[in-house]
Amino acid sequence: MEFAREIYWNIGHDAIVLLPMYLLSLAAMAVAGWGFWQRIRVYRQGKPADRTTDPAGRLALLLRDALGQVKVLHVPGAGTAHALFFWGFALLFIGTLLIMAQADFTDPLFGLRFLKGNFYKAFSLTLDLAGAVSILMLLGLLVRRFIVRPAGLETKRDDVVMHALLLLILVTGFVIEGARMAVTELGTPLASWSPVGLIFAQSFAGFGEEGLRTLHAGTWWLHFALVLGFIGLIPFTKFRHIFTTPANYFLLDNGPKGRLSTLDLEDEAAESFGAAHVSNLSWKDIFDADACTQCKRCQDRCPAHNTDKPLSPMKIVNQIGELAFARPQDSLIDTCQKEALWACTTCLACQDICPASIEHVSKIVDMRRHLVLMEGEFPGEEVMGAVDALEVNGNPLGMGYASRGDWAAGLPVVTLAEDAEVDILYFVGCYASFDKRNQAVARSFVQLCAAAGVKVGILGKEEKCCGEPVRKLGNEYLYQSLAAGNMEQMQNYGVKKVVTTCPHCFNTLARDYRDLGFELEVEHYTVFLEGLVKSGRLKLRPEPFSATYHDSCTLGRYNDIYGSPRALLEMAGCELVEMDKNRAESFCCGAGGGRILAEEKLGSRISVKRVQMAAATAAPMLVSNCPFCLTMFEDGVKGAELDGRLIARDLAELLAARIQA
């Protein structure tokens, strides 16, 4: 016998059936299209943003992340269940399209039937298993949301509608299949190729043919109505993420991760800077709210939220959406709350884990920009003092600019004013220049360079803060002023290459300054030193020690530099004990986003939580590669009462102690 089945069995396939079926389908799609058009009108309240460059690359990213569920799978458990549900439901959709293609196009027009033979057997088995997997995964997600109810996972009417509707669509599909099979396939070899449908068919076997036909037809039309309802509801419920989330993969900022827009401060037409209302944000910022699935992954990863501060990146994004669609004239900052905005460390953990590629940080910084540039408001008086010090002396520590190079006394290092013919310019940064603890890191780096025969120059008193902390706090004006001064000095001296020991300086010079016309090569010292060791110019003497390593947010998540520091630790003889949260999942030290300048008054201290994670490894040493991290960890060790059990060290210090003569 030929393996096949009658399509539209018991329903009919004439104009009386097809015409209303297609008209109703078109009506449902029209409703969905109208709903999306209404939402597009709301997106357009925002300012322009070009997200169409490199369309081929963007499309490839969309297909990879959407079809492969790449970002969804970053978190096991719920992420795996969602991915399996997606793939199962997608296969069912493809199966429906194939049935429609044969029944309504290839068969009547060309007499071509492809749903037969071995292909039909594979088709039937695949769809049966896909439906079963979809139901099981949906039930698992239902139990998680409505019974387990993880902390912070908000359940709304949309969630009830989505779970109920999808479950009804899937179950009615099997009821239809079971009723058909009970009449046409029970007892035949074909039945075994639909194992789940066979279970339903066997349970319906006693209904009699007339009852089965009635059950089949009634459930078929109910199933069809449910599908139409599903289509029509897409733009009006969280179902819209079926389209908006993949679209967000296409619309992703394809520049450097965490990039902030560079304001044109000379724009005479600009009435204000920063974001006070949703109209001050870009259309993409509003669109992000529609792409958000409220999965709370960003909230779970947020160091501020995890230390009881009033910040939830998920809520910030959704509050923007709520204002855009309901109260666009309301204050964006009052709605999101200043305490939440100032709590952000801009660590990028929220964006890194987001399965919808939402950009949280730029929205927060835009609101901070309005607070600082238009209202003159900072998170505390201590920050205002640091900003004043920056304006006067070029550093936030209040130290005289003339003493910026004093740490280098007696070391093989020159200022460019003395001798501009150097191999590298060491951009020292504020903390390594003035903070005694971090001056030891600067000295260690110079010693390592000297051992490798690298001639090091510094700007000394001509160097100013790179501007990153105040930029993340919202003071774009001061940032650009500091940047202009630094760029002018480096260009005047004909600098060819810059190396920094501060990831914040590195990221700012290597990426942010590019928008201002800076083009010099910039490296972080971990990458630079790894190259010197591998080339044989720098020789290290391995000495065994045990340590855990902290991936700073700016070097790790912003720049994906994870291998070089670990390679250097291995070369130094380290037995590395990783913390649970490492690499892209590293937990912030608490100093980013300009928070290094602000007192941590709300919740518990982020640095304490991080050093407790380090202590849990039982390693006696916590190694970092950032002056902010080192400062925070030394304070955190004291705050966690871990003196004598854990010491904080910079990687450069460990390497300098192991220079091979």
Side-chain angles (χ1 to χ4, degrees):
M1 63 177 289
E2 182 179 57
F3 289 104
R5 71 174 174 87
E6 180 185 348
I7 298 177
Y8 294 123
W9 174 85
N10 194 45
I11 301 300
H13 193 237
D14 52 25
I16 296 175
V17 173
L18 291 180
L19 186 60
M21 186 175 72
Y22 274 98
L23 287 176
L24 289 171
S25 298
L26 289 172
M29 288 187 281
V31 169
W34 179 82
F36 273 118
W37 173 244
Q38 298 306 307
R39 305 195 79 80
I40 290 171
R41 292 175 63 186
V42 174
Y43 307 153
R44 292 171 69 180
Q45 293 178 85
K47 296 187 297 186
D50 184 7
R51 296 301 178 93
T52 58
T53 55
D54 185 24
R58 290 176 178 275
L59 181 60
L61 189 66
L62 184 159
L63 294 174
R64 186 201 71 178
D65 286 354
L67 298 182
Q69 295 283 279
V70 174
K71 293 194 171 185
V72 173
L73 286 167
H74 279 179
V75 176
T80 304
H82 184 283
L84 289 171
F85 173 80
F86 169 83
W87 291 322
F89 206 80
L91 286 171
L92 292 173
F93 177 69
I94 293 170
T96 301
L97 293 180
L98 290 174
I99 290 172
M100 182 183 72
Q102 175 176 296
D104 301 333
F105 295 99
T106 66
D107 188 13
L109 295 178
F110 309 107
L112 174 61
R113 296 184 180 183
F114 51 83
L115 294 176
K116 61 181 182 179
N118 289 332
F119 179 75
Y120 177 73
K121 289 191 291 185
F123 170 87
S124 184
L125 179 60
T126 299
L127 264 61
D128 230 49
L129 296 178
V133 168
S134 296
I135 289 177
L136 289 173
M137 294 304 104
L138 186 60
L139 287 173
L141 293 169
L142 186 150
V143 167
R144 174 177 179 267
R145 178 172 288 276
F146 297 101
I147 298 177
V148 177
R149 302 176 70 87
L153 186 64
E154 297 181 354
T155 298
K156 301 179 180 179
R157 183 193 63 180
D158 273 14
D159 301 295
V160 176
V161 171
M162 289 173 66
H163 283 80
L165 189 53
L166 290 172
L167 191 59
L168 282 171
I169 289 172
L170 291 166
V171 171
T172 54
F174 276 118
V175 171
I176 294 166
E177 182 184 37
R180 177 188 60 80
M181 289 178 64
V183 176
T184 63
E185 292 182 12
L186 274 183
T188 70
L190 188 56
S192 61
W193 292 93
S194 301
V196 183
L198 180 58
I199 295 172
F200 278 82
Q202 290 170 338
S203 66
F204 298 153
F207 282 25
E209 183 172 342
E210 184 176 348
L212 288 168
R213 285 181 176 273
T214 301
L215 174 64
H216 175 272
T219 308
W220 194 96
W221 285 107
L222 172 62
H223 179 81
F224 180 62
L226 291 170
V227 171
L228 293 182
F230 167 75
I231 294 171
L233 283 172
I234 288 175
F236 306 103
T237 64
K238 283 169 65 176
F239 279 138
R240 59 181 165 267
H241 84 270
I242 298 170
F243 292 98
T244 54
T245 295
N248 230 21
Y249 299 149
F250 184 88
L251 298 170
L252 182 70
D253 184 349
N254 57 4
K257 286 197 296 183
R259 177 175 62 177
L260 298 176
S261 62
T262 298
L263 299 182
D264 181 3
L265 299 171
E266 304 299 323
D267 183 4
E268 296 181 358
E271 297 180 359
S272 66
F273 296 107
H277 300 90
V278 289
S279 58
N280 301 133
L281 296 169
S282 74
W283 66 263
K284 174 62 168 55
D285 290 319
I286 301 173
F287 180 84
D288 273 349
D290 263 3
C292 178
T293 63
Q294 298 180 38
C295 67
K296 81 180 185 74
R297 291 186 185 183
C298 59
Q299 180 175 286
D300 288 345
R301 285 280 294 275
C302 176
H305 187 83
N306 273 276
T307 50
D308 304 316
K309 296 173 178 63
L311 171 62
S312 164
M314 177 182 71
K315 288 184 178 179
I316 293 287
V317 169
N318 283 278
Q319 284 166 335
I320 290 171
E322 289 166 8
L323 287 185
F325 283 91
R327 308 183 309 279
Q329 298 307 315
D330 282 9
S331 168
L332 187 59
I333 293 170
D334 289 345
T335 300
C336 295
Q337 299 184 339
K338 296 174 185 178
E339 293 81 4
L341 299 176
W342 291 128
C344 178
T345 66
T346 67
C347 68
L348 219 63
C350 50
Q351 292 182 206
D352 180 77
I353 197 63
C354 179
S357 291
I358 289 168
E359 297 154 22
H360 310 73
V361 172
S362 59
K363 299 170 179 51
I364 291 173
V365 172
D366 271 343
M367 286 184 266
R368 287 180 172 184
R369 283 172 168 174
H370 182 83
L371 284 170
V372 172
L373 297 175
M374 306 309 299
E375 299 182 16
E377 186 169 337
F378 292 90
E381 291 185 5
E382 73 281 5
V383 178
M384 294 181 66
V387 171
D388 289 342
L390 270 168
E391 292 176 341
V392 174
N393 288 310
N395 72 84
L397 303 177
M399 309 296 285
Y401 69 90
S403 62
R404 194 174 185 106
D406 289 358
W407 64 271
L411 292 173
V413 59
V414 298
T415 63
L416 297 192
E418 298 169 332
D419 182 0
E421 294 299 318
V422 296
D423 296 319
I424 63 166
L425 167 66
Y426 173 27
F427 192 91
V428 187
C430 299
Y431 274 72
S433 293
F434 296 112
D435 176 67
K436 288 186 178 180
R437 178 66 188 85
N438 278 286
Q439 285 175 346
V441 177
R443 287 192 288 268
S444 295
F445 175 67
V446 170
Q447 291 166 7
L448 289 161
C449 289
V454 176
K455 185 177 179 182
V456 178
I458 61 173
L459 288 171
K461 65 182 181 181
E462 295 178 303
E463 178 186 295
K464 296 180 180 180
C465 175
C466 69
E468 190 263 4
V470 288
R471 188 185 201 206
K472 292 291 179 66
L473 285 169
N475 197 334
E476 181 77 6
Y477 177 83
L478 182 53
Y479 155 72
Q480 290 194 24
S481 175
L482 293 166
N486 285 324
M487 290 191 300
E488 181 181 5
Q489 294 297 339
M490 287 184 269
Q491 289 163 358
N492 287 344
Y493 286 117
V495 172
K496 300 295 190 297
K497 182 172 183 174
V498 183
V499 179
T500 78
T501 47
C502 174
H504 298 268
C505 295
F506 163 68
N507 187 70
T508 304
L509 271 64
R511 293 170 32 167
D512 296 348
Y513 278 21
R514 297 291 187 246
D515 288 347
L516 303 173
F518 189 69
E519 297 178 351
L520 297 184
E521 179 186 1
V522 184
E523 277 190 339
H524 185 257
Y525 84 92
T526 56
V527 176
F528 179 69
L529 292 180
E530 182 192 23
L532 292 179
V533 174
K534 287 185 174 179
S535 67
R537 294 180 64 184
L538 176 61
K539 300 184 184 301
L540 299 176
R541 180 183 67 258
E543 294 179 359
F545 68 103
S546 177
T548 189
Y549 171 71
H550 167 77
D551 291 283
S552 68
C553 304
T554 307
L555 194 66
R557 274 189 293 272
Y558 275 78
N559 289 282
D560 296 314
I561 297 176
Y562 300 111
S564 294
R566 286 174 172 79
L568 289 170
L569 282 169
E570 182 180 355
M571 294 169 187
C574 179
E575 178 188 348
L576 183 62
V577 186
E578 296 280 14
M579 288 180 269
D580 288 340
K581 293 185 179 298
N582 63 78
R583 296 182 182 267
E585 295 187 13
S586 181
F587 196 82
C588 184
C589 74
R595 295 295 312 176
I596 186 70
L597 308 179
E599 294 179 9
E600 199 169 356
K601 300 173 183 177
L602 300 176
S604 57
R605 291 167 61 188
I606 296 173
S607 61
V608 168
K609 192 175 183 72
R610 185 53 168 168
V611 298
Q612 287 171 338
M613 295 178 188
T617 67
M621 185 185 298
L622 171 56
V623 181
S624 60
N625 56 51
C626 170
F628 290 5
C629 294
L630 183 60
T631 300
M632 298 302 284
F633 292 153
E634 296 224 320
D635 289 343
V637 167
K638 296 174 184 176
E641 298 181 350
L642 290 168
D643 288 300
R645 291 177 50 197
L646 184 69
I647 57 173
R649 291 288 183 269
D650 189 274
L651 178 56
E653 297 176 292
L654 301 177
L655 298 177
R658 290 163 174 79
I659 295 174
Q660 182 174 314

